[in-house]
Amino acid sequence: QVQLAESGGGLVQAGNSLRLSCAASGRILSTYAMGWFRQPPGKEREFVAGITWNVGVTYYADSVKGRFTISRDNAKNTVYLEMNSLKPEDTAVYYCAVNRFGTSRSPERYDYWGQGTQVTVSS
């Protein structure tokens, strides 16, 4: 099994940048995919970005494409989310997750979740 811990959230002004980190405990197999999701207050959890563990193929939600970048460091068992040009609508709790069977946009496909980290973007 895998345990995940997000970090790097905080309060920033619109237009600024922030980088989130997700450290994994346990072995990440080559067939796994890792993803970032977010949940704004009072709304459902939504897909943000995903990456395959072996090759590093990336996938993004249209709302963040061109602004956010997902990456991973296999040696450190860590996945990152670089967020640029932040907007107030990016405010949410951000979660990282693992899908044992590959990349998906559906949160129901993911097996392991972190506790989340709060990102607040002010105008």
Side-chain angles (χ1 to χ4, degrees):
Q1 295 186 353
V2 178
Q3 294 181 337
L4 305 171
E6 303 96 334
S7 62
L11 173 64
V12 298
Q13 289 187 332
N16 287 354
S17 300
L18 201 62
R19 189 174 82 157
L20 305 181
S21 299
C22 176
S25 299
R27 188 168 186 177
I28 306 298
L29 301 182
S30 62
T31 56
Y32 289 6
M34 302 187 73
W36 286 97
F37 292 79
R38 67 186 183 186
Q39 187 167 17
K43 297 184 178 181
E44 296 182 352
R45 193 168 300 184
E46 64 181 12
F47 172 81
V48 176
I51 187 169
T52 63
W53 193 249
N54 56 348
V55 178
V57 178
T58 59
Y59 304 87
Y60 296 94
D62 290 339
S63 59
V64 306
K65 191 175 298 182
R67 298 190 298 122
F68 291 10
T69 302
I70 187 172
S71 61
R72 86 273 191 258
D73 187 331
N74 298 65
K76 296 181 178 180
N77 262 23
T78 301
V79 63
Y80 305 95
L81 185 67
E82 179 73 29
M83 303 183 293
N84 300 314
S85 301
L86 283 164
K87 306 174 181 179
E89 49 263 46
D90 295 319
T91 296
V93 177
Y94 283 72
Y95 300 88
C96 67
V98 172
N99 184 345
R100 293 179 296 156
F101 304 105
T103 299
S104 174
R105 292 175 176 265
S106 175
E108 296 183 350
R109 300 283 190 175
Y110 287 76
D111 304 287
Y112 309 111
W113 294 85
Q115 83 288 348
T117 185
Q118 177 70 48
V119 173
T120 303
V121 183
S122 65
S123 59

